[in-house]
Amino acid sequence: NSEPVQVAGVAPREFRFPGDPQILMPLQHQGADLGRGSRRYNAVGRLAEGAELAVLRVELQGIFDRLVEEYPEPNDGWFTWADPLRTRVTGRNRQSLFMMAGGVGLVLLIACVNVANLLIVRAENRHRELAVRYALGASRVGLLSHFLSEGLVLSLMGGALGVAGAYWGVDLLVALYGGSLQRADQIALNGTTLVLALVVSLVVGVLVGLVPLLRSRPDRLQGSLKEGARRSSARGSRLGRVLVMAEVALAVLIVAGAGLLTNSLWRMQQVELGVSDVERVLTFNVSLPQAKYEEVTAVNHFFDQLIKDLEPVAGIQAVGTVNRLPLLGGYNLTNFPVFGDPERVAYFVSMRSVSPGYFDAVGVPLVAGRWLDRSEFADDQISSVLINETLARELFRGADPLGRLVGPDWMTEDGLLVVGIVGDIAGGNPTRPAPPACYFPFRADPGLEMSVVVRSAGDPYGVLPTIRQIVRRLDPEVPIFEVRTLEDIARARLGIGRFAQSLFGVFAALALLLGAVGIYGVMSFAVSRRAKELGVRLALGASRGSVLLMVLGQGVRLTLPGVAIGLLVALAAGSLMRSFLYEVSPLDPLTYVVVALVLAVVSLGASYPPAYRAMRLDPIKSLKDD
């Protein structure tokens, strides 16, 4: 605020607090902040040793109840609450991060099943070899080291590739979604992450290495020498099919979750924002230092001159100012009644202080009445306002609001005259309807941060250098900040929803890829084991098309049970995603039909190469090879 201050201390680098403040200053109350109706502060406390949060909540509410008795009007309908600071820090990200962790776990499980299946197929192909080794004196411990080494090599190589991918993926993740994630600057690979990756790789390697070992028990190895390879390979084929069914069922879970989130995000994006051509509207903030702009006239002069200088710039169609940008939360009045009628009241009404060109810059239509005229902006006292359609419905319930008076008694002595109704603008929460809003003529307030809205004829960032020059000419010490378009703000509204949908989409793609690899592996193994049979069929006159369809049918039969099981589990677990969905039921039938069709296509695609090879078999060669 143009005043030097002394640095009293430096917090540790690891210090974190909601909002990630860089400068902490002593709290200095302004006169207007001390009213009992003001609710702009949050309290932070440390529980006494042995105290419980539930007891604190009861104690706080008891204190507040006594205040309600003493000061009923400003406190009626309010209550107190206390939460752990960790809950405040993680915010709405907490549930989403748990859901992401679940998705990661499912993908990891699918990968484990896939590798285990690969090793089983490999072991079955070498079953007679292993039986001979055992017959010649090889111990179970020797076989254990053999299989564990294979599993560990595969898992450690996969873990190394995963860490390398994560190194690049983290930067991409933060670049795309950092604005919608709390504490995004702390997302990075560190020692803990690397240790976790190593532990997971070792555990996975041991687990998948043990699976083929369990199938290589001495009694089975001895039996394979007596019975031949066919029966043992049949056992391995059956286990492989079971694992692929489990893999498909897990893939259905992830793909269904991604489908529900995609459907929900699409519906959010279809919500009418109430502003037009958001990609052409540039916004930025200006904060005038109160020590330099102490008088209201100085603040008015700065913004009036800024608008006057910006309006004739080539490429700028309209300019306006507002105390809070659209598509964000607002400065709310808790109770906003019809003037003189406290029974007819709207709650949490967004109050917007606007300049004459604001509505043209944002692109909000006039629904009824008239715009605020220049003389009303010049008055010392606010007398006329515009309200949006939502506020008109909540206050007047179908009656004509034009010419009526609104506003609480403490805010205005004579009421605020409604001269016009404008269209609704969506609020900061994409899952809630547009909030009630009241627009009044811009009033300067020293120390108040204002936002400027500029509608451009083309690329909004093309006029940014000129904007900077004009602001610098007005005051070289005043920077502009938080430069972004309304499109950026609209995208950020979707926040964690976009992040969850995109990341789950990646998980779904990985699950489908792994599922396809599993199906392909089992079908290839089955075709190789049935080469003689298929050769005999072809030699006896079976058409190549019938062989193709037979193998494809086997792939579909392999997939269908997994799809059915996965759909049943997804339907049962769908309620866990209810809080993440917007206008989409967790049991949405269309989503599950699409998921089933996608898995069917993946199954056919994975089964086709082995089926094609089966169709192209040379009967004479396959019989000779056997």
Side-chain angles (χ1 to χ4, degrees):
N1 196 27
S2 298
E3 295 291 337
V5 294
Q6 185 177 22
V7 176
V10 179
R13 181 182 297 274
E14 62 273 13
F15 173 74
R16 297 293 175 184
F17 205 71
D20 289 331
Q22 295 173 304
I23 299 176
L24 301 174
M25 301 181 67
L27 178 62
Q28 297 176 338
H29 295 283
Q30 302 294 327
D33 294 342
L34 301 179
R36 292 191 175 275
S38 299
R39 311 182 196 279
R40 65 184 64 189
Y41 296 115
N42 295 314
V44 181
R46 181 175 292 276
L47 282 175
E49 190 70 29
E52 295 183 1
L53 184 62
V55 176
L56 171 65
R57 288 171 175 167
V58 173
E59 187 176 353
L60 284 175
Q61 188 61 40
I63 295 172
F64 187 72
D65 289 341
R66 292 194 294 272
L67 288 172
V68 173
E69 293 178 3
E70 190 172 356
Y71 305 98
E73 185 173 346
N75 295 318
D76 184 37
W78 287 83
F79 61 92
T80 64
W81 192 251
D83 272 323
L85 182 61
R86 183 177 298 279
T87 301
R88 175 79 176 189
V89 171
T90 56
R92 292 181 299 170
N93 291 352
R94 186 178 181 85
Q95 284 183 306
S96 296
L97 293 176
F98 277 126
M99 185 176 71
M100 294 301 103
V104 170
L106 289 175
V107 172
L108 178 62
L109 188 56
I110 293 174
C112 291
V113 171
N114 225 335
V115 176
N117 205 358
L118 171 67
L119 293 179
I120 287 173
V121 170
R122 181 177 174 81
E124 294 297 336
N125 282 330
R126 301 172 59 193
H127 218 269
R128 289 177 62 82
E129 172 200 337
L130 295 174
V132 172
R133 284 173 178 264
Y134 183 77
L136 294 177
S139 65
R140 197 89 191 279
V141 175
L143 293 179
L144 172 65
S145 61
H146 174 79
F147 286 117
L148 285 183
S149 61
E150 284 191 344
L152 287 172
V153 167
L154 287 173
S155 64
L156 289 174
M157 289 179 62
L161 290 174
V163 169
Y167 178 80
W168 300 104
V170 164
D171 292 339
L172 179 62
L173 178 74
V174 174
L176 292 175
Y177 304 105
S180 60
L181 296 175
Q182 295 181 10
R183 306 170 70 185
D185 61 314
Q186 299 176 51
I187 301 176
L189 295 183
N190 54 24
T192 304
T193 309
L194 296 177
V195 170
L196 178 63
L198 177 61
V199 170
V200 169
S201 298
L202 292 173
V203 171
V204 168
V206 171
L207 291 178
V208 299
L210 287 175
V211 172
L213 179 66
L214 295 177
R215 296 207 39 85
S216 301
R217 297 200 306 266
D219 56 335
R220 287 185 175 177
L221 292 175
Q222 292 172 353
S224 66
L225 290 176
K226 299 175 182 178
E227 301 167 3
R230 180 168 300 179
R231 183 172 176 183
S232 63
S233 64
R235 293 195 195 102
S237 180
R238 283 196 297 271
L239 180 59
R241 288 196 295 269
V242 170
L243 290 176
V244 168
M245 290 177 190
E247 199 174 345
V248 170
L250 294 172
V252 168
L253 276 175
I254 299 179
V255 177
L260 290 171
L261 290 173
T262 300
N263 194 355
S264 175
L265 184 64
W266 182 84
R267 291 176 184 271
M268 287 184 191
Q269 292 173 330
Q270 305 312 305
V271 172
E272 185 62 42
L273 297 177
V275 293
S276 61
D277 300 327
V278 291
E279 70 280 357
R280 292 199 293 114
V281 181
L282 186 72
T283 71
F284 59 90
N285 290 356
V286 176
S287 181
L288 302 179
Q290 189 171 353
K292 190 174 182 180
Y293 294 85
E294 296 181 287
E295 302 296 329
V296 170
T297 53
V299 179
N300 279 333
H301 175 73
F302 178 91
F303 285 106
D304 288 345
Q305 192 62 46
L306 176 61
I307 293 174
K308 183 178 178 180
D309 292 347
L310 288 175
E311 284 179 334
V313 172
I316 292 181
Q317 296 178 333
V319 182
T321 60
V322 63
N323 62 330
R324 180 70 168 170
L325 287 170
L327 307 181
L328 298 174
Y331 298 111
N332 299 323
L333 283 187
T334 308
N335 302 306
F336 191 88
V338 174
F339 187 73
D341 187 359
E343 298 299 321
R344 302 180 68 177
V345 61
Y347 300 100
F348 294 102
V349 176
S350 176
M351 304 297 291
R352 293 293 205 271
S353 172
V354 299
S355 69
Y358 170 76
F359 292 103
D360 288 335
V362 175
V364 177
L366 181 69
V367 177
R370 63 173 177 83
W371 296 111
L372 295 167
D373 59 39
R374 295 280 175 175
S375 63
E376 290 165 319
F377 284 89
D379 287 345
D380 292 334
Q381 298 293 326
I382 301 174
S383 59
S384 303
V385 296
L386 300 172
I387 63 175
N388 70 347
E389 295 175 280
T390 297
L391 183 56
R393 286 193 302 271
E394 293 187 7
L395 287 182
F396 299 99
R397 303 163 193 170
D400 186 5
L402 297 178
R404 301 289 296 274
L405 297 176
V406 296
D409 295 337
W410 59 264
M411 180 180 178
T412 171
E413 295 181 357
D414 302 315
L416 304 173
L417 181 67
V418 178
V419 299
I421 304 173
V422 297
D424 288 337
I425 298 179
N429 191 326
T431 64
R432 295 180 182 174
C438 177
Y439 301 91
F440 55 92
F442 169 71
R443 287 296 181 272
D445 184 2
L448 180 67
E449 179 184 309
M450 292 297 293
S451 299
V452 181
V453 185
V454 177
R455 177 170 290 274
S456 65
D459 178 16
Y461 290 103
V463 298
L464 184 56
T466 305
I467 292 173
R468 292 189 186 278
Q469 290 176 5
I470 291 173
V471 174
R472 191 178 301 116
R473 188 168 63 243
L474 290 175
D475 190 332
E477 296 181 354
V478 173
I480 66 174
F481 57 98
E482 290 190 358
V483 179
R484 50 190 170 168
T485 65
L486 280 186
E487 184 179 30
D488 297 330
I489 297 175
R491 191 180 296 114
R493 287 174 73 248
L494 302 178
I496 195 69
R498 288 181 62 242
F499 168 69
Q501 184 272 336
S502 299
L503 212 53
F504 239 75
V506 173
F507 293 162
L510 288 173
L512 289 175
L513 177 62
L514 292 171
V517 169
I519 295 170
Y520 173 83
V522 169
M523 295 305 300
S524 294
F525 179 64
V527 168
S528 66
R529 287 299 178 184
R530 297 177 63 188
K532 179 181 178 181
E533 173 202 337
L534 296 174
V536 171
R537 287 176 180 271
L538 291 170
L540 294 178
S543 67
R544 296 189 180 275
S546 65
V547 172
L548 176 70
L549 291 177
M550 180 181 66
V551 178
L552 287 178
Q554 184 180 353
V556 172
R557 290 192 298 274
L558 180 68
T559 307
L560 285 180
V563 172
I565 294 171
L567 288 176
L568 290 175
V569 176
L571 288 169
S575 58
L576 298 176
M577 298 191 65
R578 189 180 299 276
S579 61
F580 300 97
L581 303 179
Y582 173 69
E583 292 188 351
V584 175
S585 168
L587 307 179
D588 180 54
L590 178 61
T591 299
Y592 291 102
V593 169
V594 171
V595 168
L597 291 176
V598 167
L599 266 296
V601 171
V602 169
S603 171
L604 289 174
S607 301
Y608 184 79
Y612 182 79
R613 284 202 306 273
M615 180 184 72
R616 304 296 298 175
L617 277 175
D618 183 348
I620 297 177
K621 185 175 185 302
S622 62
L623 293 174
K624 282 182 178 179
D625 290 342
D626 187 74

